[in-house]
Amino acid sequence: MKNLTRGFVSVMERWMPDPLVIAIFLTLVTIVAALGATDYTITQAIDSWGDSYWSLLRFTAQMILILALGHVLANTRAVAALLQLVAKQIKTPRMAYSGLAIFAGL
């Protein structure tokens, strides 16, 4: 399997662009699309992109806090023991789906 994938990996490592290059390219595509589909000027399109981007900062910070604090909570002794107890009771996929929905809802 390594021999089979080695060729694909080498091609991707050589030709796959950096994520920053992809982000810049998509930004340019978006600005061109905005200029073509609306009556915005180039300055208005750039200002709209910048204002919209920074408005996501509050949401991003909230999501980071949810992930980090949820991880901390799940690794406390009491919650980890409770999660282990609940996990031992699950025997079928149906129980896993319904148990996850109930436990997450709580």
Side-chain angles (χ1 to χ4, degrees), residues 11 13 16 18 24 26 32 41-42 50-51 69 79-80 88 104:
V11 168
E13 285 177 348
M16 184 66 179
D18 188 58
I24 291 170
L26 290 176
V32 169
T41 65
I42 186 75
D51 293 341
L69 296 176
V79 175
K88 288 179 184 177

Side-chain angles (χ1 to χ4, degrees), residues 3-80:
N3 291 334
L4 178 66
T5 59
R6 189 173 297 137
F8 292 110
V9 170
S10 65
V11 168
M12 291 308 291
E13 285 177 348
R14 177 163 170 76
W15 295 105
M16 184 66 179
D18 188 58
L20 178 62
V21 173
I22 295 171
I24 291 170
F25 174 73
L26 290 176
T27 298
L28 294 175
V29 168
T30 304
I31 289 174
V32 169
L35 294 174
T38 65
D39 57 348
Y40 275 26
T41 65
I42 186 75
T43 308
Q44 290 173 323
I46 292 171
D47 285 343
S48 295
W49 182 91
D51 293 341
S52 299
Y53 178 78
W54 290 110
S55 69
L56 295 174
L57 189 59
R58 185 179 316 140
F59 173 74
T60 304
Q62 290 171 351
M63 292 302 109
I64 290 170
L65 278 174
I66 288 171
L67 290 170
L69 296 176
H71 178 73
V72 168
L73 181 65
N75 285 314
T76 60
R77 286 186 187 151
V79 175

Side-chain angles (χ1 to χ4, degrees), residues 86-87 89-104:
V86 170
Q89 306 303 317
I90 295 176
K91 307 292 185 218
T92 65
R94 183 173 292 209
M95 287 177 71
Y97 292 129
S98 59
L100 177 65
I102 292 168
F103 198 73

